[in-house]
Amino acid sequence: MSAVSRIRNRRSIGLARIRNWSRGRLDGYAAGWRDGYRLGACGHAVRLGAVMPAVRPLHILFVATGKGFPYSPLDEAVTVTLKGMVARLTVTRKETVVRDAAALRPDLVLVLDGLDFDIARVDAIRALGLRTAIWFTDDPYYTDITSVLAQHFDDVFTLEQSCVEYYRSIGCGRVHHLPLGVHPAVFRPLNPPPERRRDICFVGSAYWNRVDFFDSITDYLEGKNVWISGIWWERLQNYKRLARQIELNKWMDPKETAMTYNGAKIVINLHRSPYDAEFNRNGARINAVSANPRTFEISACATLQMTDIRDGLSSCYVPGVEIETYASAEELTAKIDYYLANEEHRQAIALRGLYRTMRDHTYANRLDRMLSLLFEQ
């Protein structure tokens, strides 16, 4: 190569580098502006919607699930929230709850989940003249167990609306519908790194109704920027076709889940079936009409959520305004295509969903409602 050719080659490379640098700078500026604008709008929605309940002069003895992950985030959310809402909170274990209740004589002994709680313990606490309450976190999927346990508590709280009348019908005197909520310290708007950004994601276990549904949209998902994470997804008929897009047999912790939601333009929510005989203990075949906890967690991340329809969903969010719904695989894929092509509309719904979540669906909202029902009515 001649000297002139070498000079021209270097000049050409230099110009290409300058063009690439300029293009990267412009693209980076645009992406940074979009991310900054989104986080600023989200911060405003959070501030507008946030509710600070009054502190009550109560002593609560709280029995956490003690089960470890994935229940430990629930234990933490309730513990942290209650600490800011009552004059005194004591956290105990089911093994020591009777002793602690007798020594401390709290205003309330609150049990979370309680599927492995010994009935003799709650009877012993009530024999002390102390008030008891239980908050069921998995209704109606294990009602064969909870139906026996519920009858031994003064007050029963259930996240499933259909279980309220069921518990009353078997002799429970005071039953209240109280969904789980969102812990805003964890599930909140974030700025995910580039490698966490995707068009579509789903996080959850591959129960059989979910397997059937995702089998029906394999052709659609195969060519999309999609990420699926959870256990049992090897059950898919066409697992190999989606394997590169599936994080198999992993339980993401809440912080990683929140980052995953934030990194997606659209998060799919598909409720598990209440009639799955392999995994459920629901011999009474009670239907599920209430939104699952994931509904609130996704919306708290200011990401557009597309969920299958449940009768109780409209009492939590306005479909088409604060959340999006689908009744079939065809409707889901059509709406995904629409919202991926209409960024402003997608972000507007996600932002309104964030505001509604902060206003109505945090653990502070839920526990304020619980204490009001127990001590003010």
Side-chain angles (χ1 to χ4, degrees):
M1 180 182 292
S2 68
V4 173
S5 297
R6 286 196 298 270
I7 292 171
R8 287 176 177 172
N9 189 48
R10 292 192 192 103
R11 183 178 297 171
S12 176
I13 293 173
L15 290 172
R17 287 174 175 171
I18 292 172
R19 284 194 296 269
N20 289 338
W21 180 86
S22 298
R23 187 180 301 115
R25 181 176 182 275
L26 290 173
D27 290 346
Y29 177 84
W33 191 93
R34 287 193 302 269
D35 290 342
Y37 183 86
R38 171 184 176 268
L39 288 176
C42 289
H44 182 62
V46 168
R47 288 189 294 273
L48 284 178
V51 175
M52 298 296 293
V55 178
R56 289 176 166 83
L58 300 170
H59 179 196
I60 307 296
L61 182 62
F62 175 51
V63 186
T65 71
K67 292 182 176 182
F69 194 77
Y71 287 87
S72 51
L74 296 180
D75 292 337
E76 180 182 3
V78 174
T79 299
V80 170
T81 306
L82 269 178
K83 279 183 178 179
M85 297 178 59
V86 296
R88 184 181 179 187
L89 176 71
T90 303
V91 181
T92 188
R93 298 176 294 113
K94 56 182 177 290
E95 294 82 4
T96 60
V97 62
V98 178
R99 182 193 65 194
D100 292 343
L104 300 173
R105 302 202 61 82
D107 298 292
L108 175 71
V109 178
L110 173 63
V111 176
L112 185 65
D113 175 66
L115 292 186
D116 56 355
F117 198 82
D118 189 342
I119 290 173
R121 291 191 175 110
V122 67
D123 290 344
I125 295 168
R126 293 183 71 185
L128 295 170
L130 300 175
R131 191 169 188 177
T132 60
I134 190 165
W135 193 3
F136 289 129
T137 62
D138 289 293
D139 280 342
Y141 306 110
Y142 305 109
T143 47
D144 293 353
I145 302 170
T146 60
S147 59
V148 177
L149 186 60
Q151 299 176 61
H152 292 260
F153 283 83
D154 295 302
D155 288 83
V156 174
F157 293 86
T158 172
L159 81 168
E160 174 51 55
Q161 181 66 51
S162 294
C163 284
V164 173
E165 287 305 319
Y166 172 70
Y167 289 132
R168 289 173 179 167
S169 72
I170 60 174
C172 299
R174 292 191 292 274
V175 186
H176 320 277
H177 176 224
L178 191 71
L180 296 182
V182 67
H183 190 28
V186 177
F187 290 96
R188 57 191 175 90
L190 299 167
N191 191 24
E195 63 271 17
R196 302 301 295 268
R197 301 195 181 222
R198 303 169 183 103
D199 288 340
I200 310 159
C201 86
F202 178 86
V203 178
S205 302
Y207 294 106
W208 286 115
N209 69 303
R210 292 173 176 169
V211 169
D212 292 341
F213 187 88
F214 276 83
D215 275 334
S216 73
I217 59 174
T218 297
D219 291 342
Y220 177 82
L221 294 177
E222 191 173 14
K224 294 291 188 295
N225 181 13
V226 62
W227 190 251
I228 299 170
S229 181
I231 60 176
W232 307 326
W233 285 102
E234 68 274 16
R235 295 170 171 175
L236 290 171
Q237 290 181 5
N238 297 298
Y239 169 72
K240 291 183 179 179
R241 292 171 59 188
L242 297 176
R244 290 182 300 173
Q245 298 155 283
I246 297 175
E247 187 176 37
L248 188 62
N249 293 332
K250 178 177 179 179
W251 281 99
M252 287 196 291
D253 64 36
K255 290 183 179 179
E256 188 176 2
T257 302
M259 188 64 74
T260 300
Y261 290 159
N262 273 273
K265 294 179 180 179
I266 295 171
V267 179
I268 300 172
N269 186 5
L270 178 59
H271 292 77
R272 61 185 283 194
S273 169
Y275 309 121
D276 189 329
E278 180 177 349
F279 297 104
N280 299 344
R281 299 295 181 267
N282 183 18
R285 294 184 63 80
I286 299 170
N287 190 23
V289 302
S290 297
N292 60 17
R294 184 175 285 111
T295 305
F296 311 117
E297 294 168 352
I298 297 169
S299 290
C301 294
T303 299
L304 177 63
Q305 175 176 183
M306 302 196 64
T307 180
D308 58 324
I309 300 171
R310 278 193 167 181
D311 292 343
L313 181 67
S314 59
S315 65
C316 301
Y317 297 98
V318 180
V321 177
E322 300 166 330
I323 200 170
E324 191 52 271
T325 60
Y326 60 91
S328 66
E330 293 75 18
E331 185 177 9
L332 172 65
T333 57
K335 286 186 174 181
I336 288 176
D337 286 340
Y338 169 79
Y339 283 109
L340 288 179
N342 290 270
E343 176 116 353
E344 289 187 4
H345 193 185
R346 174 176 59 79
Q347 290 193 355
I349 293 177
L351 193 62
R352 288 192 289 265
L354 169 64
Y355 169 75
R356 180 70 183 272
T357 303
M358 293 303 301
R359 192 190 73 181
D360 295 342
H361 302 308
T362 65
Y363 275 104
N365 296 112
R366 302 297 190 241
L367 291 165
D368 186 61
R369 172 68 175 162
M370 175 187 286
L371 297 178
S372 176
L373 287 168
L374 289 171
F375 295 101
E376 297 174 11
Q377 296 186 18

